[in-house]
Amino acid sequence: MTAITANATFGVYVHWPFCLSKCPYCDFNSHVRHGGIDEARFLKAFEIEIAATAARVPGREVTTIFFGGGTPSLMQPATTAAILETIARHWPVAADVEVTLEANPTSVEAERFRGFRTAGVNRVSLGVQALDDGALRQLGRLHSAQEALDAVAIARAVFDRYSFDLIYARPEQTPQAWSEELTRAIGEAAEHLSLYQLTIEPETPFFALHASGKLPVPDGDAARALYDATIETCAAAGLPAYEISNHARPGAECRHNLVYWRGHEYAGVGPGAHGRLNIGGVRYATETEKRPESWLMRVEASGHGLTVNEPLMTGEQADEYLLMGLRLAEGIDPQRYEKLSGRPLDEKRISILKEEGAIESMADGRLRVTLSGFPVLDAVVADLAA
Ligand SMILES: C[S@@+](CC[C@H](N)C(=O)[O-])C[C@H]1O[C@@H](n2cnc3c(N)ncnc32)[C@H](O)[C@@H]1O
Ligand code: SF4
């Protein structure tokens, strides 16, 4: 972890809320518009919201930009370029800025990769999800494993940095099958992999299927065995977990996501985007209107899409620091927690959690969740924050 510097950074998150189809497991703010969308009108709204946000936090040097979704690779590269130009008009941008774009690995989108690179994107994150056609069909994906691998090959040729996502703990998946699939994936991944355990989200088609017993997924010990296989396989290949679901060669971590996990400052623009802005010694939590067309009309009418703009109390900031920071292998700084909350962490709880093997102190005084504590992270955070 030594390659990561903990200096304050400022990230800009841009949410593109459209997808070609809605995957049955996904509860992200993503929408399908069969009639097409007015991209030029959305771009104008992005320009307006970026200007309004920059007026609130002027002069910050932008160190990372992340186009998330939804499926931002459905955007025209010219739209991406115009958004990046707008960001650069309103804030100074670091010479080594990291600009990530989430992409679906269909051939149509891969064809646009060069356009995105010309626009200024220097890192892509591909939603591969599985390297098995049966699993991809079950996940409702529109691409085959081969198509995903072809997109990865194009990403490798076009971008210096790329990552891809896989979903594990899929129905009937065994640790051995997963280790083999993961080993194949690692062979394709240069430096970074996001490996998410399938979560059955309320109000998704998977939720109803699961509730009716038609979608049994590994849980309890079976899920734990899959998690252990994930950690072991990645660590052995030189891609240790730097966050609960993210694995990278040291130095290749996603710098944008580190902004969130380290509790730094970030602006969120676009429908349903979240931000954390430090203004006049106060940390604001911001959130924009989620529904794309309502966001558009709100921005056009009032110059921004904000629906939430709340100062965070010190206790809330401290809880958030625990919640986000303990996801990281580098852990948290107990002194920063004390500064934020006005009280130290409870020594008694710390020693109980240490005895249970869920957390540990590091040589520099930082506190982190152990690999065996990660599967029960929520309980550890709740205990420490109580
Ligand atoms: C916003 S999506 C990514 C981009 C792109 N739309 C795609 O699907 O290829 C971010 C990632 O979240 C993960 N994800 C979404 N819903 C999930 C769920 N219910 N359980 C586990 N992972 C999930 C997927 O791996 C997905 O690639
Ligand atoms: S997983 Fe990606 S493509 Fe599928 S609905 Fe969610 S955001 Fe869209």
Side-chain angles (χ1 to χ4, degrees):
M1 303 300 297
T2 45
I4 310 172
T5 56
N7 295 335
T9 48
F10 178 67
V12 179
Y13 176 78
V14 181
H15 191 80
W16 189 257
F18 303 111
C19 292
L20 282 183
S21 70
K22 185 83 194 178
C23 304
Y25 53 84
C26 178
D27 80 339
F28 279 81
N29 186 30
S30 58
H31 307 263
V32 179
R33 295 289 180 261
H34 294 294
I37 58 151
D38 187 342
E39 200 162 319
R41 194 170 159 201
F42 271 92
L43 172 59
K44 273 241 138 20
F46 274 104
E47 289 170 345
I48 293 169
E49 193 164 65
I50 289 166
T53 311
R56 300 189 68 199
V57 284
R60 307 289 195 272
E61 185 181 55
V62 177
T63 52
T64 63
I65 299 169
F66 194 100
F67 290 88
T71 306
S73 52
L74 292 175
M75 241 189 263
Q76 296 302 320
T79 304
T80 313
I83 291 174
L84 288 172
E85 279 156 24
T86 307
I87 290 172
R89 256 202 316 280
H90 290 283
W91 285 293
V93 174
D96 65 345
V97 63
E98 174 190 271
V99 184
T100 304
L101 178 122
E102 283 185 336
N104 269 31
T106 67
S107 50
V108 184
E109 288 154 84
E111 274 169 25
R112 293 191 192 155
F113 284 1
R114 280 182 204 287
F116 290 126
R117 192 189 67 178
T118 307
V121 172
N122 53 29
R123 181 177 183 275
V124 282
S125 171
L126 288 155
V128 170
Q129 321 305 3
L131 290 178
D132 174 90
D133 286 339
L136 287 169
R137 264 194 304 279
Q138 190 173 45
L139 290 170
R141 300 292 291 182
L142 298 180
H143 54 86
S144 65
Q146 190 53 52
E147 210 174 349
L149 291 174
D150 292 346
V152 169
I154 299 174
R156 185 185 300 125
V158 173
F159 297 100
D160 289 340
R161 299 180 63 198
Y162 67 94
S163 170
F164 57 85
D165 300 348
L166 294 175
I167 295 180
Y168 71 98
R170 306 187 304 252
E172 290 170 24
Q173 195 175 31
T174 63
Q176 199 193 334
W178 169 230
S179 285
E180 285 166 14
E181 184 177 355
L182 187 50
T183 303
R184 273 203 296 142
I186 290 169
E188 300 285 339
E191 56 164 35
H192 192 286
L193 274 175
S194 300
L195 304 169
Y196 299 113
Q197 185 165 337
L198 176 62
T199 311
I200 303 297
E201 302 286 359
E203 291 175 42
T204 59
F206 266 23
F207 189 83
L209 276 176
H210 184 252
S212 67
K214 290 184 188 137
L215 190 79
V217 291
D219 55 11
D221 288 349
R224 180 60 201 258
L226 288 159
Y227 171 77
D228 290 345
T230 309
I231 296 293
E232 282 159 24
T233 310
C234 287
L239 291 159
Y242 68 98
E243 191 263 352
I244 186 163
S245 305
N246 284 279
H247 302 254
R249 297 203 190 288
E253 297 83 2
C254 172
R255 283 162 44 205
H256 184 82
N257 287 337
L258 285 173
V259 171
Y260 305 146
W261 296 320
R262 287 180 172 160
H264 292 176
E265 188 177 30
Y266 57 95
V269 296
H274 292 227
R276 292 288 182 274
L277 304 177
N278 304 330
I279 303 169
V282 178
R283 186 160 170 90
Y284 286 86
T286 68
E287 227 171 292
T288 54
E289 164 61 44
K290 278 183 89 169
R291 285 160 300 179
E293 290 74 15
S294 309
W295 171 82
L296 195 59
M297 288 189 284
R298 201 182 258 264
V299 175
E300 288 171 347
S302 57
H304 63 80
L306 287 177
T307 50
V308 174
N309 182 38
E310 297 290 337
L312 285 175
M313 301 296 119
T314 48
E316 291 172 314
Q317 284 187 53
D319 287 351
E320 199 165 272
Y321 179 55
L322 280 186
L323 191 71
M324 301 305 270
L326 287 175
R327 299 174 65 100
L328 289 170
E330 69 182 21
I332 57 141
D333 174 3
Q335 284 175 358
R336 182 164 167 208
Y337 175 85
E338 187 171 342
K339 237 189 196 157
L340 287 172
S341 77
R343 65 182 169 94
L345 285 163
D346 187 329
E347 280 302 332
K348 224 169 158 177
R349 286 176 201 276
I350 290 184
S351 44
I352 294 172
L353 286 167
K354 278 185 181 168
E355 271 165 35
E356 291 170 353
I359 60 171
E360 62 190 2
S361 287
M362 291 185 280
D364 59 1
R366 295 178 75 87
L367 196 67
R368 70 172 174 194
V369 173
T370 60
L371 288 181
S372 56
F374 268 138
V376 289
L377 177 64
D378 290 349
V380 174
V381 171
D383 202 4
L384 282 174

